[in-house]
Amino acid sequence: MTVPTFLTWLRVAAIPLILGVYALPHGWLAPPDRNLIATVLFILSAITDWFDGFLARRWNQTSAFGAFLDPVADKLMVSAALLVLLELSRIGALVALIIIGREIAISALREWMARIGQSRKVAVNWLGKVKTATQMVAIPFLLYDGRLFGLIPTSVWGTWLLDIAAALTLWSMLYYFKLALAGIKLSE
């Protein structure tokens, strides 16, 4: 158990905490407090995502298990947050389906490409990173659902950013499928 892997496990452990904040009986926390706690938990989890990768490379503690667990933790965290936001009627089902569906499709595509020896064709690229960064800003804004510093309407900005993330999600999915087709032709 390395420190980077431990941080990834913490990210997985934060998922039920984020969900649990909204599952508490209504008298226990006021909605703004629920939103703030869930937002802080999500942001801390997102920071550990960057930090565990940084430490793994810096301390040369990369592992096959860590490479497997890290994207799984990310996808679980984002999917759980999107489902919470859907339940709270802060996002539409189509946006959630696009983002979650793409994650499932690309994970399956990467597994298949690895089986045919073409995994490099669908390695993470800049488009996927921009999509992820946009999601990681949009989701806390939508969880917070208030005015940041009394000025910024986070629900408006979060919705706008998540719509952009959904568009980037479709674009990146099509891009990965295009790359995969070239890899499939090479393997035949």
Side-chain angles (χ1 to χ4, degrees):
M1 175 67 78
T2 64
V3 171
T5 302
F6 178 74
L7 290 174
T8 304
W9 278 116
L10 281 179
R11 198 159 65 253
V12 172
I15 295 166
L17 296 176
I18 293 169
L19 296 173
V21 166
Y22 292 103
L24 291 172
H26 286 285
W28 288 27
L29 286 173
D33 295 332
R34 288 175 197 266
N35 294 342
L36 178 61
I37 292 168
T39 302
V40 168
L41 287 170
F42 187 90
I43 290 170
L44 290 174
S45 296
I47 290 169
T48 67
D49 180 27
W50 174 84
F51 200 56
D52 67 19
F54 171 78
L55 290 178
R57 288 183 297 276
R58 176 99 176 190
W59 294 346
N60 196 26
Q61 292 184 343
T62 58
S63 68
F65 181 70
F68 158 76
L69 185 61
D70 185 68
V72 169
D74 296 345
K75 288 166 183 34
L76 286 172
M77 185 177 74
V78 167
S79 296
L82 291 174
L83 292 173
V84 164
L85 292 169
L86 184 62
E87 176 69 21
L88 296 170
S89 300
R90 295 182 190 171
I91 64 170
L94 182 60
V95 169
L97 179 63
I98 287 170
I99 294 171
I100 294 170
R102 180 260 188 207
E103 297 304 337
I104 294 167
I106 297 304
S107 293
L109 178 66
R110 285 189 174 128
E111 182 178 331
W112 184 44
M113 294 302 285
R115 285 185 186 200
I116 63 171
Q118 296 293 319
S119 60
R120 287 185 171 212
K121 289 285 185 189
V122 289
V124 176
N125 68 16
W126 68 270
L127 186 55
K129 291 182 180 193
V130 171
K131 180 257 328 165
T132 299
T134 306
Q135 281 177 185
M136 294 305 197
V137 174
I139 291 171
F141 273 14
L142 290 164
L143 287 170
Y144 187 73
D145 194 41
R147 289 199 168 270
L148 192 60
F149 309 116
L151 302 170
I152 302 167
T154 62
S155 62
V156 172
W157 279 91
T159 300
W160 183 70
L161 286 169
L162 199 63
D163 287 346
I164 290 171
L168 290 170
T169 295
L170 289 173
W171 183 14
S172 70
M173 183 174 70
L174 293 173
Y175 179 75
Y176 284 125
F177 280 132
K178 180 182 171 191
L179 292 175
L181 274 174
I184 291 167
K185 288 178 184 175
L186 287 175
S187 70
E188 290 178 345

